Amino acid sequence: MTAIDPDDHTVDELTERLQTIDDEDELQAILEAERAGRDRQTAREAVHRRLEGIGAADDDSDGVEEGTETEGEYEETKEDVGDEAEADAEEAEAVDDEDEAAETVDEAEADEDEAKEADDEPAEDDDLSHPTRDKKHIRGLADGDYADLWVFCETQGGELLEVSKEMLGKGRELMDQFEADYGDEERVVAFLMGDDCQGLAEECIAYGADIAVYHEDERLERFLHKPYTEISAHMARGEGTVESTDWRDYDKPRYVLFPATNNGRDLSAKVQAELDSGLASDCSDLFIEANEISNPVKTGEPGVKKTVEKVLHMKRPDFSGFEYSTILCLDNPDRDFHPQGCSVIPGSFDPIERDPDREGLVVEHDMDLEDDWFRVEITEYDRLEAGIDLTGHDVIVCLGRGIADDPTGGMELGLDLVDAFDDAELGITRGIVTSSYQFEGHVEQYSKEERQIGETGQVVAPDVYIAAGVSGAVQHKVGMDESDTIVAINTDTDARIRDFSDYFVEGDLFEVLPRLTEAVEAGETALEPEAVADGGDD
Amino acid sequence: MRSIVLTKGVPDFSEGAVSFDEDGHLERGKTPTVMNPNDELALEAALQTKVRHGGHVTGMSMGPPGYADVLKGAMETVYTDDSYLLSDRELAASDTWATAITLSAGLETYQENVADVDIVFAGFKTADGETGQTGPQTCWAMDWPIVTHVVALDIDPEERTLRAKRLVEGDVDEIETVEAPLPCFVITDPEFEPTYRKASHRLTHKALRAETEERAAEHEEYLTTWDHEDLKLDPDYIGLDGSPTIVSSVDPIPKAPSEREATMIDPDGGMSEVLEEMQPYAAEAGD
């Protein structure tokens, strides 16, 4: 029995009571009691801190472990938090169980200054009066009005980028569904800037936008971080002349999409920061639906579940392609985070058919640009030599990690087979691009990203696709699934690629490829025997 | 020239090192932490600057105490002069917004207490979060000029400018030459390559290596750790509380639905069908 039953106390009370206990066993007993009872993350942490405070070896760190990380990247703070913590905003770690915590909480037994003083005031300060460094960045809007889905339409050489059209198509689909689900007609708003872009604004309407807001200035011919950020934020907040803003009556957009290109991703990061909101990067799937949250930071009340309507669910591959995360950008109780935004991987969505007769409103945005915003100057630019185009060939030979035993030899065998066809090219999987395989000089050029097939590489649809030593990750499938005939060569009959192949040749590529090359060259319909032959021209 | 390099520890995703549980989730406890590969390029850019123009390079990271080892690694391999770690529990579970606020506070605190900074270097993406947002957002909080996706860099200390080549992705990829005033943020692209064209540079490089080995052996002497109070940050606006975004779910990459029925082929006898599919595309003999 412990002197204190933690279930009888709020975390604050418990924290205070713990300060009077110097006995390690006693503290461990309280920890056990908490686990058996309400099992509040914040309460457990309070006990751990006290254990640290008395210098006890706290070997069970409650899933808080050294080396886990979070810095600036998404943490796997799973939403279905089961914490019954008392409102202690400074403690709330949204984790649902210890295993998850191991993957979430990044600060290990951190600083030596144990027994952290709580804030003087349990923070509920909307007036942002603290003289702390962060306040200058907080725009601090709460209970604002939000509507519409905005799309930043990136341009190049006087044309809309393909991904801009793709985002408009997806935006159109999302907002048509939004209207069906909620009965509210909200719009797709394209926004763009450049030296001559009124025509492109009209083009955005043809590709699905209801409104297109554009800003023209010769200094904006090419992307520049500062002016593009300032103009985008100004547009989004509805600042500007009455004529250019009377089509809207809300504080900020509800949603916003940017292209996940070098410039689009940069812009998304800066604009969303400027608008005091968050975003997910490099998304490949989006949908809008209600979400039940229990994360106390977002609900404001630990142990309470709350349903948030109209949440943009942003799905993205991360952890070097090993996982898909769904990211949500949700308001805090006293601070709104809108627009909910993300950047979108080019090629993820289809544009809608261009319709030059679609009706929409084109609005010229009005704003003075400060000279100081143009401190970074582009002095010259060139088009890069186009990389390797893997599309449009009869045959693609794709190599995967199956070449690991002899990367250079495997690459040579793949190239030999490519040469046996009239019109073929060599592709590789992401696994090879990101591997640390050592290729000898003469084949190293084939190991570069420009030959990658898959979601983040090229999408091909040849008549014959030969996948040698390819395991068949779903991202790879996206890049080759439209091929007419898919032939896999693999020793592992459980490899995923079997589920999307027409033929699965059970064998080692190092042994099969040279024989296959020979047979194709000779016009044979059987492989020459390797060790044991059984003819087989059937 | 004084520069700060922002760096981060990440799980080692290389084959053989990375560990996943049976549900396909990353097991962080069993996966070693290494320096984010893209940050090594940022460090290389800082080193190139130091070799050519002299000066001082500081490594800065936000994360748990264990990241001190990552900063030590930066000292060993890229010869940083000292290390700053922004670390305490309040910073846990920060998304990019909260991280950017914290890092910018670290940079400002450094400028107030240590020295003015000419360039802040950062890598493009981390191997775990892979957002590519933290560098630009940190720069936003500082309101400095920024050049991203840098593949080559030259600095003119007298003119207080830098000239960089940067990659632009579009329907056609382009390369831009950009000039920017110092102080400036420089985000290196994965394609960045340092160049040491002069013999004197190469000699300097070698001398630095010898000098650094001694320093790295006593890394803790060169490590400063700041918590949120040192940085004058309100806990409500950093860490999880200050993060707009949360991860609502994490799924292992789903298995592709089975859409084709693969005919199983024994290469030693059953290849006729496969070869018939391929023969129409064979090169003419002698091609």
Short mmCIF file of all heavy atoms in Angstrom, two decimals, chain A residues 373-414:
data_model
loop_
_atom_site.label_atom_id
_atom_site.label_comp_id
_atom_site.label_asym_id
_atom_site.label_seq_id
_atom_site.Cartn_x
_atom_site.Cartn_y
_atom_site.Cartn_z
N TRP A 373 12.38 43.41 -50.33
CA TRP A 373 12.04 41.99 -50.52
C TRP A 373 12.85 41.35 -51.64
O TRP A 373 12.79 40.15 -51.84
CB TRP A 373 10.55 41.83 -50.84
CG TRP A 373 9.65 42.27 -49.72
CD1 TRP A 373 10.01 42.56 -48.44
CD2 TRP A 373 8.24 42.46 -49.80
NE1 TRP A 373 8.90 42.90 -47.71
CE2 TRP A 373 7.81 42.86 -48.52
CE3 TRP A 373 7.29 42.32 -50.82
CZ2 TRP A 373 6.47 43.12 -48.24
CZ3 TRP A 373 5.96 42.59 -50.54
CH2 TRP A 373 5.55 42.99 -49.27
N PHE A 374 13.51 42.18 -52.41
CA PHE A 374 14.22 41.66 -53.60
C PHE A 374 15.72 41.64 -53.38
O PHE A 374 16.50 41.81 -54.31
CB PHE A 374 13.84 42.50 -54.82
CG PHE A 374 12.37 42.36 -55.17
CD1 PHE A 374 11.42 43.19 -54.61
CD2 PHE A 374 11.95 41.35 -56.02
CE1 PHE A 374 10.07 43.03 -54.90
CE2 PHE A 374 10.61 41.18 -56.32
CZ PHE A 374 9.66 42.03 -55.76
N ARG A 375 16.12 41.40 -52.12
CA ARG A 375 17.56 41.38 -51.80
C ARG A 375 18.26 40.19 -52.45
O ARG A 375 19.44 40.23 -52.71
CB ARG A 375 17.75 41.32 -50.28
CG ARG A 375 17.46 42.64 -49.59
CD ARG A 375 17.72 42.53 -48.09
NE ARG A 375 16.76 41.64 -47.44
CZ ARG A 375 16.87 41.24 -46.17
NH1 ARG A 375 17.89 41.64 -45.44
NH2 ARG A 375 15.97 40.44 -45.64
N VAL A 376 17.52 39.11 -52.64
CA VAL A 376 18.10 37.95 -53.32
C VAL A 376 17.79 38.10 -54.81
O VAL A 376 16.66 38.33 -55.19
CB VAL A 376 17.49 36.63 -52.78
CG1 VAL A 376 18.03 35.43 -53.56
CG2 VAL A 376 17.78 36.48 -51.30
N GLU A 377 18.84 37.98 -55.60
CA GLU A 377 18.69 38.28 -57.02
C GLU A 377 19.08 37.09 -57.88
O GLU A 377 20.13 36.48 -57.64
CB GLU A 377 19.62 39.46 -57.34
CG GLU A 377 19.21 40.26 -58.54
CD GLU A 377 20.23 41.36 -58.82
OE1 GLU A 377 21.00 41.74 -57.90
OE2 GLU A 377 20.29 41.80 -59.97
N ILE A 378 18.25 36.77 -58.85
CA ILE A 378 18.61 35.68 -59.77
C ILE A 378 19.33 36.31 -60.96
O ILE A 378 18.74 37.11 -61.68
CB ILE A 378 17.35 34.93 -60.23
CG1 ILE A 378 16.66 34.30 -59.02
CG2 ILE A 378 17.71 33.85 -61.27
CD1 ILE A 378 15.24 33.87 -59.27
N THR A 379 20.59 35.97 -61.13
CA THR A 379 21.38 36.63 -62.18
C THR A 379 21.33 35.87 -63.49
O THR A 379 21.47 36.45 -64.56
CB THR A 379 22.84 36.80 -61.74
OG1 THR A 379 23.36 35.52 -61.37
CG2 THR A 379 22.94 37.75 -60.55
N GLU A 380 21.17 34.55 -63.44
CA GLU A 380 21.02 33.80 -64.68
C GLU A 380 20.33 32.47 -64.40
O GLU A 380 20.26 32.03 -63.25
CB GLU A 380 22.36 33.57 -65.37
CG GLU A 380 23.41 32.91 -64.51
CD GLU A 380 24.76 32.84 -65.22
OE1 GLU A 380 24.91 31.98 -66.11
OE2 GLU A 380 25.65 33.63 -64.88
N TYR A 381 19.82 31.87 -65.44
CA TYR A 381 19.23 30.54 -65.27
C TYR A 381 19.30 29.79 -66.58
O TYR A 381 19.32 30.37 -67.66
CB TYR A 381 17.77 30.63 -64.79
CG TYR A 381 16.85 31.38 -65.70
CD1 TYR A 381 16.11 30.72 -66.69
CD2 TYR A 381 16.71 32.76 -65.56
CE1 TYR A 381 15.26 31.43 -67.52
CE2 TYR A 381 15.86 33.47 -66.40
CZ TYR A 381 15.13 32.80 -67.38
OH TYR A 381 14.30 33.50 -68.20
N ASP A 382 19.41 28.48 -66.46
CA ASP A 382 19.50 27.60 -67.63
C ASP A 382 18.64 26.39 -67.39
O ASP A 382 18.48 25.94 -66.26
CB ASP A 382 20.93 27.08 -67.82
CG ASP A 382 21.84 28.16 -68.33
OD1 ASP A 382 21.48 28.79 -69.32
OD2 ASP A 382 22.90 28.37 -67.69
N ARG A 383 18.14 25.85 -68.49
CA ARG A 383 17.46 24.56 -68.38
C ARG A 383 18.52 23.48 -68.24
O ARG A 383 19.55 23.52 -68.89
CB ARG A 383 16.63 24.29 -69.63
CG ARG A 383 15.52 25.31 -69.77
CD ARG A 383 14.43 24.86 -70.69
NE ARG A 383 13.18 25.48 -70.26
CZ ARG A 383 11.98 25.05 -70.62
NH1 ARG A 383 11.87 24.00 -71.41
NH2 ARG A 383 10.89 25.65 -70.20
N LEU A 384 18.23 22.53 -67.38
CA LEU A 384 19.16 21.41 -67.26
C LEU A 384 18.88 20.43 -68.37
O LEU A 384 17.75 20.29 -68.84
CB LEU A 384 18.95 20.71 -65.91
CG LEU A 384 19.55 21.42 -64.71
CD1 LEU A 384 19.10 20.74 -63.43
CD2 LEU A 384 21.07 21.39 -64.79
N GLU A 385 19.91 19.74 -68.78
CA GLU A 385 19.71 18.65 -69.74
C GLU A 385 18.64 17.72 -69.18
O GLU A 385 18.69 17.32 -68.03
CB GLU A 385 21.02 17.87 -69.90
CG GLU A 385 22.03 18.57 -70.78
CD GLU A 385 21.46 18.85 -72.17
OE1 GLU A 385 21.04 17.89 -72.83
OE2 GLU A 385 21.42 20.03 -72.57
N ALA A 386 17.68 17.42 -70.03
CA ALA A 386 16.64 16.50 -69.56
C ALA A 386 17.31 15.20 -69.16
O ALA A 386 18.25 14.74 -69.80
CB ALA A 386 15.64 16.26 -70.67
N GLY A 387 16.85 14.62 -68.11
CA GLY A 387 17.42 13.35 -67.66
C GLY A 387 16.96 12.22 -68.57
O GLY A 387 16.55 12.44 -69.71
N ILE A 388 17.05 11.04 -68.08
CA ILE A 388 16.67 9.87 -68.87
C ILE A 388 15.15 9.74 -68.90
O ILE A 388 14.51 9.80 -67.85
CB ILE A 388 17.27 8.60 -68.22
CG1 ILE A 388 18.78 8.76 -68.02
CG2 ILE A 388 16.92 7.36 -69.02
CD1 ILE A 388 19.57 8.80 -69.29
N ASP A 389 14.58 9.61 -70.08
CA ASP A 389 13.14 9.40 -70.18
C ASP A 389 12.87 7.91 -70.35
O ASP A 389 13.24 7.32 -71.36
CB ASP A 389 12.58 10.19 -71.38
CG ASP A 389 11.06 10.12 -71.43
OD1 ASP A 389 10.46 9.47 -70.53
OD2 ASP A 389 10.47 10.70 -72.35
N LEU A 390 12.27 7.33 -69.34
CA LEU A 390 12.03 5.89 -69.38
C LEU A 390 10.68 5.57 -70.03
O LEU A 390 10.35 4.39 -70.22
CB LEU A 390 12.07 5.30 -67.96
CG LEU A 390 13.39 5.47 -67.20
CD1 LEU A 390 13.27 4.90 -65.80
CD2 LEU A 390 14.53 4.77 -67.95
N THR A 391 9.90 6.61 -70.32
CA THR A 391 8.57 6.34 -70.88
C THR A 391 8.66 6.13 -72.38
O THR A 391 9.62 6.55 -73.03
CB THR A 391 7.60 7.51 -70.60
OG1 THR A 391 8.14 8.69 -71.21
CG2 THR A 391 7.46 7.76 -69.12
N GLY A 392 7.67 5.46 -72.92
CA GLY A 392 7.57 5.34 -74.37
C GLY A 392 8.43 4.25 -74.98
O GLY A 392 8.60 4.21 -76.20
N HIS A 393 9.03 3.38 -74.17
CA HIS A 393 9.82 2.29 -74.73
C HIS A 393 8.98 1.01 -74.78
O HIS A 393 8.02 0.84 -74.04
CB HIS A 393 11.08 2.05 -73.89
CG HIS A 393 12.01 3.23 -73.90
ND1 HIS A 393 12.84 3.52 -74.97
CD2 HIS A 393 12.21 4.21 -72.99
CE1 HIS A 393 13.52 4.62 -74.71
NE2 HIS A 393 13.16 5.07 -73.51
N ASP A 394 9.39 0.08 -75.65
CA ASP A 394 8.70 -1.21 -75.73
C ASP A 394 8.90 -2.01 -74.45
O ASP A 394 7.99 -2.66 -73.95
CB ASP A 394 9.27 -2.07 -76.89
CG ASP A 394 8.96 -1.47 -78.26
OD1 ASP A 394 8.06 -0.60 -78.33
OD2 ASP A 394 9.63 -1.86 -79.24
N VAL A 395 10.15 -2.01 -74.00
CA VAL A 395 10.52 -2.89 -72.88
C VAL A 395 11.29 -2.08 -71.83
O VAL A 395 12.09 -1.22 -72.18
CB VAL A 395 11.44 -4.05 -73.38
CG1 VAL A 395 11.86 -4.95 -72.22
CG2 VAL A 395 10.73 -4.86 -74.46
N ILE A 396 10.99 -2.36 -70.57
CA ILE A 396 11.80 -1.82 -69.47
C ILE A 396 12.33 -3.00 -68.67
O ILE A 396 11.58 -3.91 -68.32
CB ILE A 396 10.95 -0.91 -68.55
CG1 ILE A 396 10.55 0.38 -69.24
CG2 ILE A 396 11.72 -0.61 -67.25
CD1 ILE A 396 11.66 1.40 -69.45
N VAL A 397 13.62 -2.96 -68.41
CA VAL A 397 14.22 -3.93 -67.50
C VAL A 397 14.50 -3.17 -66.21
O VAL A 397 15.24 -2.18 -66.23
CB VAL A 397 15.54 -4.50 -68.05
CG1 VAL A 397 16.18 -5.46 -67.05
CG2 VAL A 397 15.29 -5.18 -69.39
N CYS A 398 13.87 -3.58 -65.12
CA CYS A 398 14.06 -2.87 -63.87
C CYS A 398 14.78 -3.75 -62.86
O CYS A 398 14.40 -4.91 -62.65
CB CYS A 398 12.71 -2.42 -63.30
SG CYS A 398 12.92 -1.50 -61.76
N LEU A 399 15.82 -3.20 -62.25
CA LEU A 399 16.58 -3.95 -61.26
C LEU A 399 16.27 -3.45 -59.86
O LEU A 399 16.12 -2.25 -59.64
CB LEU A 399 18.09 -3.77 -61.52
CG LEU A 399 18.59 -4.26 -62.88
CD1 LEU A 399 20.06 -3.87 -63.07
CD2 LEU A 399 18.44 -5.77 -62.99
N GLY A 400 16.19 -4.39 -58.92
CA GLY A 400 15.96 -4.04 -57.53
C GLY A 400 17.09 -4.54 -56.65
O GLY A 400 18.17 -4.91 -57.13
N ARG A 401 16.80 -4.58 -55.36
CA ARG A 401 17.85 -4.92 -54.40
C ARG A 401 18.38 -6.35 -54.55
O ARG A 401 19.34 -6.72 -53.89
CB ARG A 401 17.33 -4.74 -52.97
CG ARG A 401 17.25 -3.29 -52.54
CD ARG A 401 16.65 -3.23 -51.14
NE ARG A 401 16.43 -1.88 -50.68
CZ ARG A 401 17.20 -1.28 -49.76
NH1 ARG A 401 18.23 -1.91 -49.25
NH2 ARG A 401 16.92 -0.06 -49.36
N GLY A 402 17.75 -7.13 -55.41
CA GLY A 402 18.25 -8.47 -55.66
C GLY A 402 19.66 -8.49 -56.22
O GLY A 402 20.32 -9.53 -56.23
N ILE A 403 20.16 -7.34 -56.66
CA ILE A 403 21.52 -7.30 -57.19
C ILE A 403 22.56 -7.11 -56.09
O ILE A 403 23.75 -7.01 -56.36
CB ILE A 403 21.73 -6.18 -58.24
CG1 ILE A 403 21.54 -4.79 -57.61
CG2 ILE A 403 20.78 -6.37 -59.42
CD1 ILE A 403 21.92 -3.65 -58.55
N ALA A 404 22.09 -7.08 -54.83
CA ALA A 404 22.98 -6.70 -53.72
C ALA A 404 24.27 -7.51 -53.63
O ALA A 404 25.32 -6.98 -53.27
CB ALA A 404 22.23 -6.80 -52.39
N ASP A 405 24.20 -8.80 -53.97
CA ASP A 405 25.40 -9.63 -53.83
C ASP A 405 26.53 -9.17 -54.72
O ASP A 405 27.70 -9.35 -54.41
CB ASP A 405 25.07 -11.10 -54.14
CG ASP A 405 24.22 -11.70 -53.03
OD1 ASP A 405 24.13 -11.06 -51.95
OD2 ASP A 405 23.65 -12.78 -53.24
N ASP A 406 26.17 -8.62 -55.87
CA ASP A 406 27.19 -8.15 -56.81
C ASP A 406 26.57 -7.00 -57.61
O ASP A 406 26.15 -7.21 -58.76
CB ASP A 406 27.63 -9.30 -57.73
CG ASP A 406 28.63 -8.84 -58.79
OD1 ASP A 406 29.09 -7.68 -58.72
OD2 ASP A 406 28.94 -9.64 -59.69
N PRO A 407 26.48 -5.82 -57.01
CA PRO A 407 25.75 -4.73 -57.66
C PRO A 407 26.25 -4.42 -59.07
O PRO A 407 25.43 -4.23 -59.98
CB PRO A 407 25.98 -3.53 -56.73
CG PRO A 407 26.28 -4.14 -55.39
CD PRO A 407 26.99 -5.42 -55.69
N THR A 408 27.56 -4.38 -59.23
CA THR A 408 28.09 -4.05 -60.56
C THR A 408 27.74 -5.14 -61.56
O THR A 408 27.27 -4.87 -62.67
CB THR A 408 29.61 -3.84 -60.49
OG1 THR A 408 29.87 -2.73 -59.60
CG2 THR A 408 30.20 -3.53 -61.85
N GLY A 409 27.94 -6.40 -61.16
CA GLY A 409 27.63 -7.52 -62.05
C GLY A 409 26.14 -7.55 -62.39
O GLY A 409 25.76 -7.79 -63.54
N GLY A 410 25.29 -7.31 -61.39
CA GLY A 410 23.85 -7.30 -61.63
C GLY A 410 23.46 -6.22 -62.62
O GLY A 410 22.65 -6.44 -63.52
N MET A 411 24.07 -5.05 -62.47
CA MET A 411 23.78 -3.94 -63.37
C MET A 411 24.20 -4.31 -64.79
O MET A 411 23.48 -4.03 -65.76
CB MET A 411 24.55 -2.70 -62.88
CG MET A 411 24.05 -1.41 -63.40
SD MET A 411 22.43 -0.95 -62.73
CE MET A 411 22.86 0.21 -61.47
N GLU A 412 25.35 -4.93 -64.93
CA GLU A 412 25.83 -5.34 -66.26
C GLU A 412 24.86 -6.32 -66.90
O GLU A 412 24.54 -6.21 -68.10
CB GLU A 412 27.22 -5.97 -66.15
CG GLU A 412 28.31 -4.95 -65.89
CD GLU A 412 29.64 -5.61 -65.49
OE1 GLU A 412 29.61 -6.77 -65.05
OE2 GLU A 412 30.68 -4.95 -65.63
N LEU A 413 24.36 -7.27 -66.12
CA LEU A 413 23.43 -8.27 -66.67
C LEU A 413 22.13 -7.59 -67.14
O LEU A 413 21.57 -7.95 -68.17
CB LEU A 413 23.11 -9.34 -65.63
CG LEU A 413 24.30 -10.23 -65.23
CD1 LEU A 413 23.89 -11.20 -64.13
CD2 LEU A 413 24.82 -11.01 -66.44
N GLY A 414 21.67 -6.62 -66.35
CA GLY A 414 20.47 -5.88 -66.75
C GLY A 414 20.69 -5.13 -68.06
O GLY A 414 19.84 -5.13 -68.95
#
